């Protein structure tokens, strides 16, 4: 019940949840990028309840460019609280017209960019309501551990990652994930070109794999929710 508070108070960093929706074979979209909807309506409503509980929701720039999501909370009963939107955008490619700069939402939008900062469209992003947050990089990618430390200083106590395979892999690599929630739909997509939950180069040995602890599986009116904690 106190996992968010304990993590934030003891480390100064937010509690990080990675959420994904996938088929039984671990695919998050077809080879053509179709992903609506893998999970059922009950699962999707549960995700909005989770958004209502966390301080921030984080995605990578590829998700913004491809899907242009609102990243707001939409509950069946009541409006709910929109989380702070956190966009990981190393080279500041986001458009000032992106839906995450939603004038109808009171929630802030933070754009985490790599250092040194490319200033070509900073003004337009700030004018659209975005907050530019420079973060150090490793191998031309934002250091997500450094980003979590910066978000903690902004008093953001919990973050849910709802991105694609690339940012999921980066989060796993940088060991920032505390908890994983995967909504599995009872269907098989297949295909080597179909997107999976985690991208990147992968591991060479099973000894390098990431183990989960305190694993629970729940049935959600047809879908299955797998919930567990990382052994970082």
């Amino acid at each position: 019940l106190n996992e968010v508070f304990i993590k934030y108070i003891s480390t100064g960093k937010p509690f990080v949840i990675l959420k994904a929706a996938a088929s039984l074979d671990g695919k998050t979209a077809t080879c053509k990028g179709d992903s609506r909807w893998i999970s059922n309506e009950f699962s999707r409503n549960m995700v909005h309840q989770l958004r209502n509980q966390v301080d921030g929701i984080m995605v990578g720039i590829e998700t913004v460019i491809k899907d242009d999501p609102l990243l707001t909370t939409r509950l069946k009963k009541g409006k709910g609280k929109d989380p702070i939107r956190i966009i990981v955008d190393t080279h500041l490619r986001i458009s000032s017209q992106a839906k995450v700069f939603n004038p109808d939402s009171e929630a802030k939008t933070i754009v985490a960019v790599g250092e040194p900062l490319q200033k070509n469209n900073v003004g337009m992003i700030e004018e659209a309501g975005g907050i530019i947050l420079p973060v150090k990089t490793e191998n031309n990618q934002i250091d997500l551990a450094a980003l979590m430390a910066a978000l903690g200083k902004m008093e953001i106590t919990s973050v849910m990652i709802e991105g694609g395979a690339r940012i999921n892999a980066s989060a796993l690599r940088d060991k920032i994930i505390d908890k994983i929630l995967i909504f599995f739909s009872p269907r098989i997509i297949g295909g080597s070109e179909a997107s999976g939950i985690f991208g990147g180069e992968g591991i060479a040995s099973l000894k390098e794999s990431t183990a989960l602890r305190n694993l629970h599986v729940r049935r959600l009116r047809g879908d299955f929710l797998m919930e567990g904690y990382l052994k970082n």
Side-chain angles (χ1 to χ4, degrees):
L1 291 175
N2 295 318
E3 58 192 10
V4 171
F5 176 79
I6 292 171
K7 167 73 182 293
Y8 181 70
I9 291 300
S10 60
T11 68
K13 297 179 181 179
F15 186 87
V16 179
I17 302 166
L18 186 142
K19 167 264 165 185
S23 61
L24 287 181
D25 54 335
K27 304 297 185 181
T28 58
T30 69
C31 63
K32 300 296 184 181
D34 183 16
S35 61
R36 296 188 178 183
W37 298 102
I38 289 179
S39 58
N40 64 28
E41 184 178 2
F42 186 85
S43 296
R44 297 196 300 274
N45 288 335
M46 187 174 179
V47 170
H48 283 282
Q49 293 172 11
L50 290 168
R51 288 184 180 182
N52 189 47
Q53 296 170 8
V54 297
D55 288 346
I57 179 171
M58 187 169 83
V59 300
I61 184 59
E62 299 297 338
T63 294
V64 175
I65 292 174
K66 178 183 175 183
D67 299 332
D68 198 16
L70 286 167
L71 301 182
T72 54
T73 298
R74 300 181 293 280
L75 301 177
K76 279 191 170 182
K77 296 182 180 180
K79 182 180 178 181
K81 172 182 70 70
D82 289 339
I84 296 170
R85 296 170 287 260
I86 304 156
I87 315 302
V88 180
D89 186 7
T90 306
H91 304 294
L92 196 54
R93 294 188 289 149
I94 193 169
S95 167
S96 60
Q97 302 301 312
K99 291 179 181 178
V100 292
F101 303 116
N102 185 349
D104 296 326
S105 174
E106 296 179 358
K108 301 175 183 177
T109 299
I110 297 171
V111 183
V113 299
E115 294 178 326
L117 177 62
Q118 301 295 323
K119 298 183 179 180
N120 52 335
N121 62 340
V122 169
M124 290 188 295
I125 299 305
E126 291 180 335
E127 188 175 337
I131 300 171
I132 301 294
L133 178 62
V135 182
K136 74 173 185 176
T137 59
E138 290 284 344
N139 299 320
N140 206 32
Q141 292 184 351
I142 286 179
D143 183 331
L144 294 183
L147 174 57
M148 291 303 109
L151 295 177
K153 291 178 181 178
M154 299 172 72
E155 299 185 349
I156 295 174
T157 66
S158 57
V159 171
M160 185 161 67
I161 302 173
E162 285 198 56
R166 185 174 180 180
I167 194 168
N168 290 349
S170 296
L172 193 65
R173 178 201 65 210
D174 291 348
K175 297 183 178 181
I176 67 167
I177 305 168
D178 296 295
K179 187 176 186 178
I180 285 182
L181 300 175
I182 302 180
F183 294 83
F184 283 104
S185 171
R187 69 180 81 208
I188 296 173
I189 292 177
S192 59
E193 298 300 318
S195 299
I197 299 172
F198 294 95
E201 295 182 1
I203 58 175
S205 169
L206 282 177
K207 294 180 180 179
E208 303 173 63
S209 62
T210 302
L212 299 182
R213 59 180 175 83
N214 297 345
L215 188 65
H216 296 279
V217 178
R218 286 188 281 166
R219 188 166 184 172
L220 303 175
R221 299 184 184 178
D223 286 353
F224 297 86
L225 172 60
M226 186 187 73
E227 178 180 354
Y229 296 82
L230 268 67
K231 293 183 177 180
N232 287 338

